[in-house]
Amino acid sequence: MAEMQSQQLQQKNKGVKRSKKLSTRVDLTPMVDLGFLLITFFVFTTSLSKPKVMALNLPQDKNIKDSSVSQESKTLSLILKDDKTVGYYYGTDMQHMQFTNYATGLRNVIIKKQQEVTRRYGKPDDLMVLIKPTDKATYGKVVETLDEMLITNVKIYMLLEATVQEAAIAQK
């Protein structure tokens, strides 16, 4: 606590009386205690944010029967060419690969294929998207493509390596 200590100053001159000068001393122990109590309170009451993880459906080994095999008419393959261009084709017809951009074209291609699958089979959830980045595709564009899967509500998608033929056609 704060306390006042007084000391009388002895005067050698006897004629004039001077006023008393008091010295003060402030005890900061309670303030330090309060600071540590606040730090302790905030340390115990904070919670760290938990990392969020995106689930990926990755293909199984070839020796095991793959339960994710889909009809060609329900399959859309995306070839991530570079930072600006995405190649896509339906089913296994890679000779008719078309190209679009990431900004609006990719979403339009996915929505168009979902509508086609819904019209033919009744459920848009049957659409399977195969995402195949090439050597020139960046990690950011892969993440952006995975985000498009969430935005367009694609239930089945796989991240695969682009074949040599797909990469050759995409580089043309």
Side-chain angles (χ1 to χ4, degrees):
M1 296 211 137
E3 52 185 66
M4 300 288 290
Q5 295 177 350
S6 63
Q7 297 175 353
Q8 285 189 351
L9 298 175
Q10 300 290 331
Q11 296 293 332
K12 293 184 179 179
N13 298 339
K14 294 189 176 190
V16 179
K17 279 192 164 181
R18 294 199 177 193
S19 64
K20 296 180 183 178
K21 294 195 177 190
L22 304 174
S23 66
T24 58
R25 185 178 143 262
V26 178
D27 185 15
L28 294 177
T29 304
M31 184 68 77
V32 172
D33 290 343
L34 180 63
F36 279 113
L37 284 173
L38 286 172
I39 290 171
T40 305
F41 172 76
F42 287 117
V43 166
F44 286 137
T45 58
T46 57
S47 63
L48 300 174
S49 63
K50 296 180 180 168
K52 297 179 182 177
V53 179
M54 180 185 295
L56 294 176
N57 296 325
L58 298 175
Q60 299 174 356
D61 291 335
K62 293 181 180 180
N63 298 340
I64 303 170
K65 185 177 179 183
D66 192 2
S67 62
S68 62
V69 174
S70 178
Q71 296 176 348
E72 285 186 34
S73 59
K74 296 180 183 179
T75 304
L76 170 65
S77 295
L78 301 175
I79 310 300
L80 309 181
K81 182 177 174 182
D82 53 24
D83 283 347
K84 298 176 184 173
T85 311
V86 179
Y88 66 94
Y89 63 91
Y90 304 112
T92 58
D93 188 19
M94 73 176 81
Q95 297 303 322
H96 292 97
M97 185 182 299
Q98 299 173 339
F99 297 94
T100 186
N101 61 5
Y102 285 97
T104 56
L106 180 60
R107 187 174 300 170
N108 291 337
V109 167
I110 295 169
I111 290 172
K112 179 181 170 187
K113 186 62 177 176
Q114 278 180 327
Q115 290 171 347
E116 180 184 333
V117 169
T118 303
R119 184 177 44 80
R120 289 179 77 180
Y121 300 102
K123 296 187 298 184
D125 294 345
D126 289 344
L127 174 64
M128 176 184 280
V129 178
L130 305 175
I131 303 167
K132 301 177 180 183
T134 61
D135 292 338
K136 293 184 180 178
T138 61
Y139 180 75
K141 293 304 177 181
V142 174
V143 171
E144 188 175 322
T145 306
L146 293 173
D147 286 342
E148 287 295 329
M149 298 300 112
L150 293 175
I151 292 169
T152 56
N153 202 21
V154 174
K155 300 290 184 198
I156 304 169
Y157 54 93
M158 293 184 181
L159 188 60
L160 303 169
E161 290 184 31
T163 64
V164 175
Q165 297 147 342
E166 290 170 331
I169 292 172
Q171 295 306 320
K172 289 182 183 177

